[in-house]
Amino acid sequence: MNNSWVNSSQASTTDTTAEGGADLHLVLRGPGGVRAQLMRALRDAIGSGRLAPGTRLPPYRTLATDLGIARNTVGDAYAELVEEGWLTARQGSGTHVAPRAEPLGTGPLRAPVRTTLRRPAYDLMPSSPDASAFPRTAWMTSARRAMAAAPHDAFGVGDPRGRLELRQALTEYLARARGVRTAPERIVICAGFAHGLRLLCSLLRGTIAVEAYGLGFHRDVATETGLRTLPLTVDGQGARIEELPATRAGAVLLTPAHQFPTGGPLHHERRAAVVNWARSTGGLVVEDDYDGEFRYDREPVGAVQGLDPERVVYLGSVSKSLSPAMRLGWMVLPGWLVDDVIAAKGTREMWSGVVEQLTLADFIACGSYDRQLRRMRRIYRRRRDQLAATLAQRAPHVRVSGVAAGLHAVLELPPGTEQAALRAARRQGLALEGLAAYRHPDSTMADHDGLVIGFGTPPEHAFANALEALCLALPDGPADR
């Protein structure tokens, strides 16, 4: 059996017609001579769809050299496959796979039938910022500057904690903007928030307490790593910390700056209480600061981590501030937990790209990150005000809450109307979710009907139309009924 990779770059050194040829893996085996084996291998590759119509094959000399067979054998095989209609050949342009409507193989390799799904006209999911507002010019400026200044070792096997340049920039920024107390040695860069949470949960055992209304993927990550999740009641002051001891949990996951999805900050007395709980029990507080930079009508709320850096893990990312596509996040860890997290992360592969890390470090250090946040704060505040004003005029019976900060609002609906409103929203081409989607399945809290509206995602030109469609989907008020 002859098993060879045919490489176009290698071919170009021996034959000028090889330029543009594709990499090709062929296995010669079975009955018959070498020519018959080569023809059968090529038919199989074309018939299965592995060689697509129009693919340029390596020239005779290159394929013969790599397979260790005579050049004339390859030429004869090509010529016969041209006669059979498998290949086409033209003087000066090489040999190509013949065009076909579909692969000849009709077995399990046939491509599945694709169903075209209707995309929503307006995305009001509370999932991401306005993608059109990404600061491309400033980001490219930082990228060029970071690449010019990068040491050679940046492109080798690096530190699993992440690039020191980014950890230093984050240490300064998080202290200044979020009240986080840390050092570069206590920061681990990860591929987004979910990656960091998964690393952390893999080190925990038993039960982790979570907010009764919260992101489902928080619970999913914990469950996938073997943890049990128990809900804490949520009210206007955040999670009810007094319920923690009864859960016998070893850790608690909170969104204290802006509770997701209900929208309020964790009350200062409850912040102190959760830190005291962690100190007295040896427990761990996991702080998700998913959109803490965006605030409008209130004083900045600092991170709980600042109250006790040895009992709180602070998790952040650029998913809301820049883009979820960046896949950049960070864990600010107690000193005693750093080595365990690094061991869980591993020494290779599961790292964020060095180019993105160096670029973000420069982006923060030169002030572009702060400028982008201030710019988006103005835009999102204007959208929030537009949402509130539109609803006050068109649906005054709907109360808007949770809008002092963040990128989403909760529209409180009359009891029993949430599902009808969601169906009406789909008919209007809206993508959004109700409060029920975020409720912990074991929560004993009373159900609250409402819609969770993300006002960050739609581009500027589409926002007014999205609000019009939303108003058409809302249930009528008492007077209308």
Side-chain angles (χ1 to χ4, degrees):
M1 177 177 69
N2 197 338
N3 185 345
S4 176
W5 284 99
V6 179
N7 188 287
S8 59
S9 61
Q10 181 184 38
S12 64
T13 64
T14 58
D15 192 330
T16 57
T17 63
E19 195 171 324
D23 288 342
L24 179 59
H25 179 62
L26 293 176
V27 178
L28 305 189
R29 60 187 175 193
V34 174
R35 187 181 71 172
Q37 293 175 17
L38 176 58
M39 291 176 61
R40 184 163 51 247
L42 286 168
R43 288 193 197 98
D44 289 345
I46 297 169
S48 67
R50 189 162 61 83
L51 283 180
T55 300
R56 185 171 185 170
L57 299 185
Y60 306 162
R61 181 183 304 168
T62 302
L63 187 57
T65 299
D66 286 325
L67 293 177
I69 61 179
R71 180 181 176 185
N72 288 342
T73 300
V74 178
D76 291 344
Y78 277 14
E80 192 165 339
L81 290 174
V82 169
E83 291 293 323
E84 293 179 3
W86 294 90
L87 305 176
T88 61
R90 184 183 303 172
Q91 184 67 32
S93 64
T95 304
H96 296 74
V97 176
R100 292 183 179 275
E102 62 179 15
L104 295 181
T106 57
L109 292 178
R110 179 185 291 272
V113 177
R114 296 183 181 272
T115 301
T116 301
L117 300 177
R118 181 184 176 187
R119 296 186 62 183
Y122 306 107
D123 186 355
L124 295 179
M125 298 288 288
S127 55
S128 66
D130 181 355
S132 68
F134 184 83
R136 301 185 189 206
T137 301
W139 184 261
M140 288 304 299
T141 299
S142 283
R144 286 191 293 269
R145 191 160 49 227
M147 288 299 94
H152 296 314
D153 67 6
F155 303 98
V157 178
D159 189 333
R161 290 174 295 183
R163 287 299 302 178
L164 179 59
E165 296 92 334
L166 179 54
R167 291 186 284 118
Q168 288 174 330
L170 285 170
T171 297
E172 186 277 332
Y173 168 77
L174 293 174
R176 168 172 53 82
R178 304 297 300 126
V180 170
R181 295 191 289 151
T182 191
E185 294 74 24
R186 293 189 176 201
I187 296 178
V188 174
I189 305 302
C190 46
F193 173 85
H195 179 213
L197 181 61
R198 182 168 279 105
L199 288 173
L200 186 61
C201 287
S202 71
L203 302 175
L204 302 177
R205 299 292 181 269
T207 300
I208 182 170
V210 297
E211 294 158 331
Y213 278 88
L215 285 166
F217 90 85
H218 284 176
R219 300 190 295 267
D220 293 342
V221 168
T223 301
E224 288 166 6
T225 56
L227 294 174
R228 181 189 180 197
T229 65
L230 287 178
L232 299 177
T233 302
V234 174
D235 59 23
Q237 298 182 343
R240 296 184 60 175
I241 303 303
E242 66 269 23
E243 297 176 359
L244 255 178
T247 67
R248 305 181 69 85
V252 58
L253 172 59
L254 301 172
T255 52
H258 187 226
Q259 202 285 322
F260 189 90
T262 61
L266 187 65
H267 191 272
H268 65 89
E269 291 181 357
R270 295 184 182 181
R271 287 168 164 254
V274 77
V275 170
N276 288 336
W277 166 84
R279 289 170 176 168
S280 63
T281 64
L284 193 66
V285 180
V286 183
E287 180 174 13
D288 178 5
D289 196 33
Y290 68 100
D291 65 358
E293 296 98 342
F294 297 108
R295 65 217 178 248
Y296 313 115
D297 300 329
R298 70 181 192 204
E299 291 298 314
V301 178
V304 172
Q305 189 270 359
L307 299 178
D308 193 336
E310 287 302 303
R311 300 306 332 164
V312 182
V313 174
Y314 177 93
L315 293 172
S317 77
V318 298
S319 291
K320 299 293 186 293
S321 57
L322 290 176
S323 166
M326 299 303 299
R327 307 316 310 146
L328 276 172
W330 46 86
M331 310 173 70
V332 179
L333 299 163
W336 55 270
L337 197 51
V338 173
D339 288 344
D340 289 339
V341 169
I342 291 299
K345 187 179 183 186
T347 56
R348 299 292 288 271
E349 306 305 334
M350 291 298 292
W351 303 353
S352 299
V354 67
V355 175
E356 289 80 6
Q357 291 187 53
L358 292 173
T359 302
L360 180 59
D362 182 272
F363 197 74
I364 294 171
C366 75
S368 291
Y369 192 64
D370 287 276
R371 286 189 290 273
Q372 174 68 4
L373 287 172
R374 286 193 296 270
R375 170 182 171 238
M376 298 313 298
R377 226 177 264 140
R378 290 192 297 270
I379 291 174
Y380 294 144
R381 177 170 189 157
R382 185 169 66 247
R383 292 189 188 185
R384 183 213 58 174
D385 292 347
Q386 186 177 352
L387 168 66
T390 300
L391 291 172
Q393 180 182 10
R394 299 283 301 278
H397 58 288
V398 173
R399 181 173 179 267
V400 184
S401 63
V403 291
L407 303 182
H408 73 273
V410 174
L411 310 190
E412 300 178 19
L413 301 180
T417 63
E418 180 178 311
Q419 292 305 312
L422 288 172
R423 290 191 294 270
R426 285 193 290 270
R427 290 194 295 271
Q428 295 295 330
L430 291 168
L432 52 80
E433 285 186 334
L435 274 174
Y438 301 102
R439 191 172 186 273
H440 193 291
D442 298 330
S443 173
T444 59
M445 285 182 62
D447 290 334
H448 296 281
D449 284 61
L451 299 178
V452 183
I453 305 299
F455 51 81
T457 305
E460 285 284 280
H461 70 272
F463 192 59
N465 289 337
L467 292 184
E468 174 65 23
L470 175 62
C471 289
L472 294 174
L474 293 175
D476 295 333
D480 299 321
R481 289 197 296 271

